[in-house]
Amino acid sequence: MQGGERGISILLAVYEPRLDWLREQLSSLEAQSCRDVRLYVRDDCSPTVPLEEIEGCVRECIRSMPWELRRNEENVGSSRTFERLTQEACGEYFAYCDQDDIWLPEKLEELRRELEESGAVLACSDMYIIDGEGRQRADSMTKVRRRHRFRSGKDLAEGLLISNFAAGCTMLVRAGAAKAAVPFCPYMVHDHYIALCCAAAGGEIRSVPRPLIRYRIHGGNQTGLLAGVDSRESYLELRVRALCRRLEWLAQHLPAQSPQLHAAILDRLLWARARAANLERRGGG
């Protein structure tokens, strides 16, 4: 596939994909109303799904855009796989893609229009929620995660230190901003860190209020507000200590942080350390 500076690159990370869901996703990429699109697929060293089967799905479903498929030599996790995709891709805009959702045909076109008209560096959207059988369960992420609040504007970095509203599967970001975020924070999911970097650099983020994908929630999803938390000790480790590690890393490595943002990071770090110490005294670890 030839390189270039224009158009949209879709960055698709896969791992042990369920092939029927992968075909649905790929078919929805093929159906995008935008035509200047290319696809990068990287498999995170799936142990039981052969690369040849993944390649067969791509060949079967993707006919109108150039694509390439690569495989990690070892399993590195989704965020580092997306980091590698970000490094190797070209184009003007990057769209991050999961393996089991379904995009509406107008998704890329509408998000690009939002970026071009507003001058923002990143745009994201709401999403329909579907289950493993493809049945719609909600018409907004806010119906499933009650604390989820979409935001638009500048000066969003402090809020993004703690919680993310820009889901990677709904995101379109200017390629230069995404590449400037490399290396990704090892203690954050890729989409959260990219959004934080965009905001920290003074960029505007725009949230499109209408759903532009069908987001599949099933037992294998790796993210969630309390994923993996089933005890005080797991809460302490997965939420509080993990937050300490994130903030410590950000204080040292987050690019383009202003003195005000740096102070906010340190303030939240003090709170997180105090919270960890309190839980440990109460028998959490």
Side-chain angles (χ1 to χ4, degrees), residues 52 81 96 141 143 153 158 161-162 210-211 254 261 268 284:
E52 292 77 14
T81 301
Y96 292 84
M141 177 55 78
K143 304 288 183 62
E158 287 194 30
L161 291 174
I162 304 301
R210 63 178 294 250
L254 178 66
L261 181 57
R268 283 163 174 76

Side-chain angles (χ1 to χ4, degrees), residues 235-249:
Y235 175 81
L236 173 61
E237 179 60 28
L238 297 176
R239 290 296 176 266
V240 184
R241 290 175 180 152
L243 178 59
C244 290
R245 290 190 290 269
R246 176 200 304 177
L247 293 169
E248 288 166 356
W249 191 95

